[in-house]
Amino acid sequence: MNRFINKIVMSVTALFALAALTACSDDEWGNDNQDYENVFIVAFADWGPKSNNDKTYTVKQGAQLEVPVQLWCEGSRNFNAEAFVYVDSKLTLGTDFQVVDAAGNALQPNAKGGYTLTWDLQKPDNTNNHRKQSIYIKALNGKKGDVTLMTFDPKDVDEEGKLRISSGGTKDDDTQYYVPNNSTSQYEVRCITVNYKVKITIE
């Protein structure tokens, strides 16, 4: 009898666990929520071992490194969207390293210091809502050191000098926050605290 009751309890527990996992996977971006139809998420495509901003790369002097970036967007739109990637480093841009395109041509930052990635949302999407493109870092045979790429502006700090993203943004689900990356009259791009930066070590 006790064994039978235990089996029932275990079955019910498993059902509750499955329901909880299903509920966690449905957020504001699911269920055709029109308020979030034109709100997109940008993050680095390669996640670190702990999936918590711990992804690292290395690049040798004179070499060029590709860093893939991902935009979550379901379906197509009648406009394109821009997301920004920022650089934070004690090394000297243009002397020790450069942000370049795939062909190695130097890119120029925008007025806010970010590098613009333009996402073509007008053509049909075959990436299962995970559009990808890349940003590139080229080591210029200068000093060795680290370069951090971020989807959050490293200059946006609080009175203690800490990144505002570290204390949360506009959305809290106990594990992650969503913070604006770019906002226009047509759409908003947000970044997410669990995957907003990667570290590149120039050897």
Side-chain angles (χ1 to χ4, degrees):
M1 183 68 175
N2 287 339
R3 184 176 297 176
F4 178 72
I5 293 174
N6 287 339
K7 285 185 178 181
I8 293 177
V9 171
M10 290 176 65
S11 298
V12 171
T13 301
L15 286 174
F16 274 117
L18 180 60
L21 286 172
T22 303
C24 289
S25 66
D26 290 331
D27 57 20
E28 285 85 348
W29 283 268
N31 302 322
D32 298 320
N33 189 332
Q34 292 187 351
D35 291 339
Y36 288 84
E37 180 181 3
N38 291 323
V39 177
F40 315 126
I41 299 297
V42 63
F44 292 101
D46 292 337
W47 293 60
K50 296 182 180 179
S51 300
N52 189 24
N53 299 309
D54 56 352
K55 178 62 181 178
T56 60
Y57 298 89
T58 58
V59 59
K60 296 185 181 299
Q61 296 288 359
Q64 181 171 306
L65 174 73
E66 178 181 5
V67 180
V69 185
Q70 187 167 269
L71 186 81
W72 279 270
C73 171
E74 183 177 357
S76 58
R77 303 291 189 277
N78 61 357
F79 55 82
N80 294 336
E82 293 182 341
F84 307 135
V85 174
Y86 297 88
V87 173
D88 188 28
S89 179
K90 293 182 179 179
L91 298 178
T92 302
L93 178 68
T95 299
D96 301 318
F97 73 96
Q98 191 68 267
V99 182
V100 299
D101 61 17
N105 302 307
L107 301 179
Q108 297 303 316
N110 59 28
K112 293 185 177 181
Y115 293 85
T116 303
L117 296 178
T118 302
W119 305 86
D120 184 357
L121 304 183
Q122 301 184 62
K123 62 184 180 182
D125 175 45
N126 60 359
T127 68
N128 193 26
N129 311 330
H130 294 71
R131 292 170 168 84
K132 290 183 182 179
Q133 61 177 296
S134 295
I135 191 165
Y136 301 83
I137 296 294
K138 186 174 184 178
L140 299 178
N141 294 306
K143 294 180 180 178
K144 298 179 179 180
D146 296 329
V147 176
T148 300
L149 294 182
M150 305 170 64
T151 57
F152 187 77
D153 187 350
K155 298 185 298 296
D156 191 1
V157 297
D158 61 20
E159 58 277 1
E160 296 179 356
K162 296 180 179 179
L163 287 174
R164 294 187 189 280
I165 198 170
S166 64
S167 58
T170 57
K171 166 74 175 106
D172 178 9
D173 69 354
D174 295 329
T175 59
Q176 54 203 21
Y177 301 88
Y178 300 96
V179 181
N181 173 280
N182 184 26
S183 182
T184 75
S185 60
Q186 291 181 301
Y187 64 87
E188 182 177 351
V189 178
R190 298 181 182 180
C191 52
I192 187 170
T193 56
V194 295
N195 198 29
Y196 73 92
K197 65 179 181 179
V198 296
K199 186 176 76 171
I200 301 161
T201 298
I202 297 177
E203 298 180 334

